[in-house]
Amino acid sequence: MNEVLSYFQIGANTFALTVAGWIYLAYIKNLNSTVKLKDEQVKTVEKNIQFWKDKVSELERRSPEHVEKILSERIKIREDEIVRLSEDKNIHKHEIDLKNQELLRLKSEVEKTKDLKRTFDALDFFIEEDDELFSKDAEYEIEELGFVAVDSGQLMITDPCYIDSQWKDDDLEILRLYKDVENSNVIQYGKDFNHYDDVINGYDQSANQLLASGRIEALEVDYTDRITFSYAGASYATLSNKGYGSMPFELGHEGAGIAVRTVLGDGMYPVYAEKYDGKMVRIYFNLL
């Protein structure tokens, strides 16, 4: 009888252990499923984070601020190199000169990039997420377009279609006025004297001698009210103290053209284009 009870007890214990094992296995499987689910959720969150990081990075690369940041970092590197090389100027003089030239070029590109950003801001320009105006790897570059010949010491920017419809043939009349610093008398070229080496009545000296001694000085003539869309108007604009002027349409509103004085006078002046992602975003020309 005792043996039967003993076997029965063993069987009951075995059954209890088996049931406990099943329960444990089910618990482990449930834990594994939970862990896998959490892992999938974590991966999904990481993918979303990476997706938005890529979007942010892509938008940043499209903006002029990104170009400015890259150029600023390059400038910092070049400045550090120049400081290091300056410690031994004799050995590294040529290398320092090259670095200084590159530094000036980079700073110039930074200013152009800032100006490009200001243009975007002025036009209320905004790059949408799906806007493909510039690619995410857009590069900034400068290209020489050609040369403009100058024979009057000035350049004009206009739309060619306005030349036939708006251009005038006004006469150019340049006034050369001089003031006597002692008595404030005004002397006019072409009226009081015709040549600068002619003796002026009442002075017993020529205009050149009076200018050299400081007795007379040139007066600035305001030609603002004479600026028209003509060669004479362009000349009046560039002869002003500012050195440039806006040329109006026949009805009087601005926009027909801009005239600007060159620094070195006549010559051949190169015209450059600034490109962003291969697209021409601005043109400019040096005045010297």
Side-chain angles (χ1 to χ4, degrees), residues 184-202:
S184 298
N185 286 339
V186 176
I187 302 170
Q188 180 178 339
Y189 172 80
K191 178 181 178 182
D192 298 304
F193 66 97
N194 294 317
H195 302 283
Y196 281 86
D197 55 358
D198 290 345
V199 175
I200 300 176
N201 291 333

Side-chain angles (χ1 to χ4, degrees), residues 58-59 62 125-135:
E58 181 179 349
L59 290 175
R62 292 181 183 180
F125 186 86
F126 178 74
I127 302 177
E128 299 289 348
E129 180 178 336
D130 297 327
D131 195 339
E132 296 184 355
L133 178 61
F134 301 127
S135 69

Side-chain angles (χ1 to χ4, degrees), residues 36 67 84 157 159 168 171 219 221 227 233 257 268 284:
K36 289 181 179 180
V67 179
R84 176 178 57 81
I157 303 171
D159 185 329
K168 297 179 178 298
D171 293 330
L219 290 176
V221 180
I227 298 177
M268 297 292 289
Y284 68 94

Side-chain angles (χ1 to χ4, degrees), residues 4 18 30 33 39 51 61 72 84 104 123 142 150 153 156 162 170 175 188 203 226 235-236 240 268 288:
V4 174
T18 301
N30 183 59
S33 298
D39 288 342
F51 172 79
R61 284 195 294 269
S72 297
R84 176 178 57 81
L104 291 175
L123 297 175
I142 297 176
V150 174
M156 187 179 74
Y162 297 145
D170 295 341
L175 294 178
Q188 180 178 339
Y203 288 92
R226 298 192 181 189
S235 299
Y236 292 141
S240 68
M268 297 292 289
L288 51 74

Side-chain angles (χ1 to χ4, degrees), residues 7 42 56 93 116 125 166 178 182 188 202 205-206 220 258 288:
Y7 284 122
V42 169
V56 171
K93 185 179 184 303
L116 178 62
F125 186 86
Q166 297 288 324
Y178 302 89
E182 294 184 3
Q188 180 178 339
Q205 285 185 311
S206 68
E220 181 182 349
I258 296 287
L288 51 74

Side-chain angles (χ1 to χ4, degrees), residues 84-256:
R84 176 178 57 81
L85 294 172
S86 296
E87 296 176 357
D88 194 347
K89 293 183 179 179
N90 293 330
I91 297 177
H92 300 292
K93 185 179 184 303
H94 179 66
E95 192 173 354
I96 290 174
D97 291 339
L98 292 177
K99 295 297 182 183
N100 277 322
Q101 293 175 11
E102 185 177 2
L103 182 61
L104 291 175
R105 180 181 62 81
L106 289 171
K107 287 183 177 179
S108 175
E109 291 185 5
V110 167
E111 291 304 316
K112 292 182 178 67
T113 305
K114 289 180 179 178
D115 188 60
L116 178 62
K117 179 181 179 298
R118 286 192 292 269
T119 301
F120 285 168
D121 292 340
L123 297 175
D124 196 20
F125 186 86
F126 178 74
I127 302 177
E128 299 289 348
E129 180 178 336
D130 297 327
D131 195 339
E132 296 184 355
L133 178 61
F134 301 127
S135 69
K136 64 179 181 179
D137 297 321
E139 293 185 358
Y140 177 83
E141 59 180 324
I142 297 176
E143 179 180 341
E144 185 178 288
L145 300 181
F147 290 83
V148 175
V150 174
D151 288 305
S152 64
Q154 56 190 345
L155 282 167
M156 187 179 74
I157 303 171
T158 188
D159 185 329
C161 75
Y162 297 145
I163 295 176
D164 288 337
S165 63
Q166 297 288 324
W167 190 257
K168 297 179 178 298
D169 292 323
D170 295 341
D171 293 330
L172 178 62
E173 182 183 0
I174 303 298
L175 294 178
R176 300 179 188 177
L177 303 179
Y178 302 89
K179 183 182 72 172
D180 189 322
V181 297
E182 294 184 3
N183 55 32
S184 298
N185 286 339
V186 176
I187 302 170
Q188 180 178 339
Y189 172 80
K191 178 181 178 182
D192 298 304
F193 66 97
N194 294 317
H195 302 283
Y196 281 86
D197 55 358
D198 290 345
V199 175
I200 300 176
N201 291 333
Y203 288 92
D204 297 328
Q205 285 185 311
S206 68
N208 283 333
Q209 291 172 324
L210 292 172
L211 284 168
S213 66
R215 176 66 185 272
I216 63 174
E217 59 183 18
L219 290 176
E220 181 182 349
V221 180
D222 185 7
Y223 295 109
T224 304
D225 58 346
R226 298 192 181 189
I227 298 177
T228 58
F229 191 56
S230 63
Y231 174 76
S235 299
Y236 292 141
T238 58
L239 285 171
S240 68
N241 189 45
K242 295 188 299 183
Y244 68 90
S246 177
M247 307 169 72
F249 286 102
E250 187 173 356
L251 295 178
H253 58 287
E254 290 190 3

